[in-house]
């Protein structure tokens, strides 16, 4: 239904903020262009594989499920997938809170690291 799909747009904005904050923090750490290859290879690619984007997380071993539930993309998928199916996601407030927490923490870390770098 279109109202649920419209709600998914707001969730996608929140997901974008969370990943933008993480990207800014990585940018503050980066010593050169090649550093971003490590971030893509070691952080983003495994996150996509473990967050339920391509296959269900509940089919993974318990330890991997627990680790994947700490990732921001897991919470984004857990919100957007039911919304696009016309359902209300279970635990929506928890997922929104985790994404907002990642966004706030990422922007805070990026600000601190950038200030530290500029003060040298």
């Amino acid at each position: 239904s279109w109202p649920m799909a419209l709600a998914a747009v707001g969730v996608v904005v929140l997901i974008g903020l969370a990943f933008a904050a993480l990207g800014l923090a990585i940018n503050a750490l980066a010593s050169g262009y090649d550093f971003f290859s490590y971030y893509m290879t070691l952080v983003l690619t495994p996150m996509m594989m473990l967050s339920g984007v391509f296959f269900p997380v509940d089919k993974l071993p318990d330890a991997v499920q627990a680790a994947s539930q700490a990732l921001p993309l897991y919470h984004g998928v857990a919100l957007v997938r039911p919304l696009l199916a016309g359902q209300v996601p279970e635990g929506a407030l928890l997922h929104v809170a985790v994404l907002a927490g990642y966004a706030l923490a990422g922007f805070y870390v990026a600000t601190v690291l950038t200030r530290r770098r500029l003060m040298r």
Side-chain angles (χ1 to χ4, degrees), residues 10 16-17 32 37 39 43 53 59 62-63 72 76 85 88 90-91 94-95 103 105 111:
L17 283 173
S37 297
Y39 178 63
V43 177
V53 173
K59 303 293 184 200
D62 292 337
V88 177
E90 293 181 22
L94 172 69
H95 297 304
T111 302

Side-chain angles (χ1 to χ4, degrees), residues 23-38:
L24 282 173
I26 294 299
N27 184 44
L29 286 173
S31 58
Y33 181 76
D34 293 334
F35 187 82
F36 296 108
S37 297
Y38 299 125

Side-chain angles (χ1 to χ4, degrees), residues 46-52 55-58 60-76 98 102:
M47 188 185 309
M48 276 196 319
M49 297 299 166
L50 298 176
S51 294
F55 51 87
V57 174
D58 59 352
L60 298 172
D62 292 337
V64 178
Q65 284 183 31
S68 71
Q69 291 174 356
L71 301 172
L73 189 57
Y74 169 83
H75 297 281
V98 169
Y102 267 102

